[in-house]
């Protein structure tokens, strides 16, 4: 039996923070394959990348999610007790609840709410002179997703809510003050939504039928029990937070339109071109760096032994840039999606495999819907200038974002 290639460092946590999205891929290249082992946060960890690795990683007979994600990430980004850390019947029941909210009608409604927010902001942008797109998008998405979810959010609290959701998104990979902000934001968010769940269950807050608030508040687990109030709050945040995180993808879409202006006309004229463009943005730009699981039972893969309980990281960014899967992976080429839907184990910015039975993100359809709406607004309903600014996307920063937040000027409405 072959030994898994080992990283030279006895502890690689600082190297992960230093190298960011390239941490796993660069070491796989160094070892001449798609697998190596190291220590992260003082625990032995196997790192994988590639299509076959993704198919292995999402095999629920071999891997489980309980206790796989580092606690610092659970306490900021994902929440403790959420769907990401469940397995088997508990995971299926919780995932079914979340997927019930992803109907075509519900997606269109959320998309329309986002469109309405965009149109409402256009008049103000036209008179503002200089607009930083990233924080604007965060507030727009916060308002849209709370309205969609049936979560009451007064205007005076929008900035605070958007700021807390952003703090959770950045807190898992941050150290020092950034991590502490994520911790405090998570606690505030869970207290707020747990209280809202209580009031919904008592009838004090009339949650609309079919809304996320009502569905989560009334959900029964695989044993017929109501979710504890804190866990219900975690799952509501698992709808609000990832939706607001789409603001990064929208900024990347704006950056791609700026760097590849020939695509502006293509997406204006062709819905299929918009779909291809959005998929390439999701593939090309960095979003979530890796996913974690634990070995459920010992097995051998490609001659390598995976011991029970070993933590495994799948390189999402590295798989989306794997040269064996994506010819010229460092070129932005939406045409690569002309052949139809992408392989569910090759394009994995939000996880791989099947949505219903596996751990692929339930909100992936939300991401695509909102990105397509944003591209339409950027190309067909407004004109703007992009002044000189720092638009470099550092792969050492997790989560990644251009330092300028994408500044636009001279905004004018065209439709």
């Amino acid at each position: 039996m072959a030994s898994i290639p080992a990283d030279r460092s006895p502890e690689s946590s600082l190297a992960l923070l230093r190298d960011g999205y390239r941490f796993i891929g660069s070491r796989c290249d160094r070892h001449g394959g798609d697998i190596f082992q190291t220590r992260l946060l003082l625990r032995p960890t196997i790192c994988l990348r590639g299509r076959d690795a993704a198919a292995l990683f999402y095999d629920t007979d071999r891997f489980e999610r309980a206790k796989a994600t580092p606690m610092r990430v659970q306490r900021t980004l994902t929440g403790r007790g959420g769907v990401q850390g469940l397995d088997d019947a508990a995971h299926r029941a919780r995932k079914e609840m979340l997927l019930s909210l992803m109907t075509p009608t519900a997606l269109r409604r959320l998309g329309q709410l986002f469109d309405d927010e965009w149109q409402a902001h256009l008049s103000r942008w036209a008179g503002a002179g200089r607009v930083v797109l990233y924080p604007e998008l965060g507030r727009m998405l916060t308002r849209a997703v709370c309205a969609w979810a049936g979560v009451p959010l007064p205007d005076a609290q929008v900035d605070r809510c958007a700021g807390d959701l952003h703090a959770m998104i950045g807190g898992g990979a941050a150290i020092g003050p950034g991590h502490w902000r994520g911790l405090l934001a998570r606690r505030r968010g869970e207290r707020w939504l747990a209280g809202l769940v209580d009031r919904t269950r008592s009838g004090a807050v009339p949650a609309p039928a079919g809304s996320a608030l009502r569905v989560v508040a009334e959900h029964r687990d695989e044993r017929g029990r109501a979710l504890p109030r804190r866990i219900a709050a975690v799952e509501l945040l698992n709808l609000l937070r990832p939706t607001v995180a789409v603001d990064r993808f929208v900024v990347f879409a704006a950056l791609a339109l700026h760097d590849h202006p020939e695509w502006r006309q293509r997406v204006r004229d062709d819905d299929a071109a918009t779909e291809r463009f959005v998929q390439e943005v999701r593939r090309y730009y960095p979003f979530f760096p890796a996913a974690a699981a634990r070995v459920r039972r010992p097995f051998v893969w490609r001659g390598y032994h995976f011991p029970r309980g070993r933590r495994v990281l799948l390189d999402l960014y590295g798989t989306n840039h794997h040269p064996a899967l994506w010819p010229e992976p460092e070129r932005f080429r939406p045409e690569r999606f002309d052949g139809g839907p992408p392989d569910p184990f090759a394009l994995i910015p939000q996880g791989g495999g099947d949505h219903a039975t596996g751990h692929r993100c339930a909100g992936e359809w939300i991401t695509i819907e909102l990105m397509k709406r944003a591209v339409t607004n950027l190309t067909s309903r407004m004109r703007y200038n992009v002044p000189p600014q720092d638009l470099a996307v550092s792969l050492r920063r997790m989560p990644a974002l251009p330092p300028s937040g994408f500044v636009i000027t001279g905004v004018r409405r065209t439709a």
Side-chain angles (χ1 to χ4, degrees):
M1 191 175 300
S3 297
I4 298 176
D7 196 18
R8 291 192 297 265
S9 173
E11 167 56 46
S12 296
S13 298
L14 291 178
L16 172 61
L17 291 175
R18 182 190 67 232
D19 296 345
Y21 290 90
R22 294 200 186 279
F23 171 78
I24 295 177
S26 64
R27 283 155 180 78
C28 285
D29 289 342
R30 183 185 304 161
H31 292 294
D34 289 331
I35 182 172
F36 71 95
Q37 58 184 331
T38 187
R39 289 180 67 85
L40 289 170
L41 298 177
L42 305 178
R43 284 183 57 184
T45 303
I46 298 172
C47 298
L48 303 169
R49 70 170 179 181
R51 192 235 177 255
D52 292 346
L56 171 73
F57 182 84
Y58 288 101
D59 181 346
T60 55
D61 289 334
R62 290 178 167 178
F63 289 97
E64 60 189 2
R65 267 59 187 178
K67 301 180 181 179
T69 302
M71 190 55 67
R72 71 187 327 271
V73 176
Q74 294 184 48
R75 288 174 174 165
T76 52
L77 181 68
T78 63
R80 291 175 292 116
V83 65
Q84 298 94 336
L86 301 179
D87 296 294
D88 304 324
H91 176 259
R92 289 191 295 272
R94 197 80 61 83
K95 192 69 172 290
E96 183 178 358
M97 173 194 72
L98 295 172
L99 288 173
S100 73
L101 298 166
M102 305 300 159
T103 65
T105 299
L107 295 176
R108 284 193 297 270
R109 179 170 178 267
L110 177 55
Q112 186 60 56
L113 288 165
F114 182 46
D115 268 349
D116 293 344
E117 286 292 326
W118 198 296
Q119 293 304 305
H121 278 68
L122 263 179
S123 297
R124 182 169 60 79
W125 291 352
R130 180 180 182 274
V131 175
V132 184
L133 197 57
Y134 173 64
E136 294 284 308
L137 288 166
R139 290 188 286 269
M140 291 158 61
L141 286 165
T142 297
R143 288 172 59 93
V145 73
C146 285
W148 174 79
V151 172
L153 184 66
D155 288 344
Q157 296 179 17
V158 171
D159 285 354
R160 174 69 172 271
C161 182
D164 278 353
L165 293 169
H166 278 155
M168 294 177 214
I169 293 163
I175 56 176
H179 183 67
W180 303 333
R181 283 193 293 271
L183 289 172
L184 292 173
R186 165 64 58 179
R187 291 171 186 167
R188 276 196 299 266
E190 289 185 5
R191 283 198 301 268
W192 166 48
L193 291 174
L196 186 58
V197 167
D198 284 343
R199 295 193 298 277
T200 300
R201 288 171 172 171
S202 70
V205 173
S211 67
L213 175 58
R214 185 161 173 179
V215 168
V216 172
E218 295 180 351
H219 176 68
R220 295 294 184 267
D221 67 14
E222 73 283 3
R223 298 182 183 178
R225 302 169 301 184
L227 294 177
R229 62 195 298 272
R230 189 190 67 79
I231 300 300
V234 167
E235 297 300 15
L236 281 170
L237 283 171
N238 275 333
L239 291 163
L240 305 186
R241 171 187 48 76
T243 302
V244 172
V246 176
D247 57 6
R248 294 177 184 270
F249 268 142
V250 173
V251 168
F252 290 142
L255 178 58
L257 289 168
H258 175 63
D259 288 340
H260 307 276
E262 69 278 9
W263 276 92
R264 296 187 67 90
Q265 188 62 47
R266 296 186 196 181
V267 299
R268 276 199 296 265
D269 297 339
D270 185 356
D271 289 343
T274 303
E275 179 83 22
R276 294 193 294 271
F277 181 86
V278 163
Q279 294 290 31
E280 180 68 346
V281 169
R282 296 175 67 234
R283 183 202 70 83
Y284 181 80
Y285 290 97
F287 192 59
F288 202 70
R294 289 198 318 161
V295 176
R296 184 188 287 264
R297 57 179 62 87
F299 66 90
V300 175
W301 181 71
R302 294 187 172 179
Y304 297 122
H305 176 63
F306 284 65
R308 182 171 181 247
R310 183 62 49 90
R311 184 165 62 197
V312 176
L313 293 184
L314 175 67
D315 185 359
L316 304 181
Y317 177 82
T319 300
N320 290 334
H321 285 254
H322 200 301
L325 300 173
W326 309 101
E328 300 181 290
E330 302 308 321
R331 284 189 60 197
F332 184 84
R333 294 180 56 246
E335 307 95 300
R336 70 177 78 244
F337 292 102
D338 285 351
D343 185 323
F345 294 113
L347 182 67
I348 56 171
Q350 293 169 269
D354 182 73
H355 293 90
T357 60
H359 283 265
R360 194 179 189 109
C361 178
E364 187 171 18
W365 294 302
I366 285 178
T367 300
I368 294 170
E369 174 72 16
L370 294 175
M371 289 180 69
K372 290 167 67 174
R373 299 270 186 159
V375 168
T376 297
N377 278 297
L378 287 165
T379 59
S380 298
R381 297 173 184 164
M382 60 187 288
R383 294 289 181 271
Y384 54 89
N385 303 317
V386 181
Q389 59 191 285
D390 187 355
L391 292 173
V393 179
S394 172
L395 295 178
R396 292 184 174 181
R397 176 181 178 179
M398 298 186 297
L401 190 73
S404 68
F406 204 87
V407 176
I408 56 177
T409 60
V411 176
R412 55 269 190 205
R413 187 191 299 269
T414 59

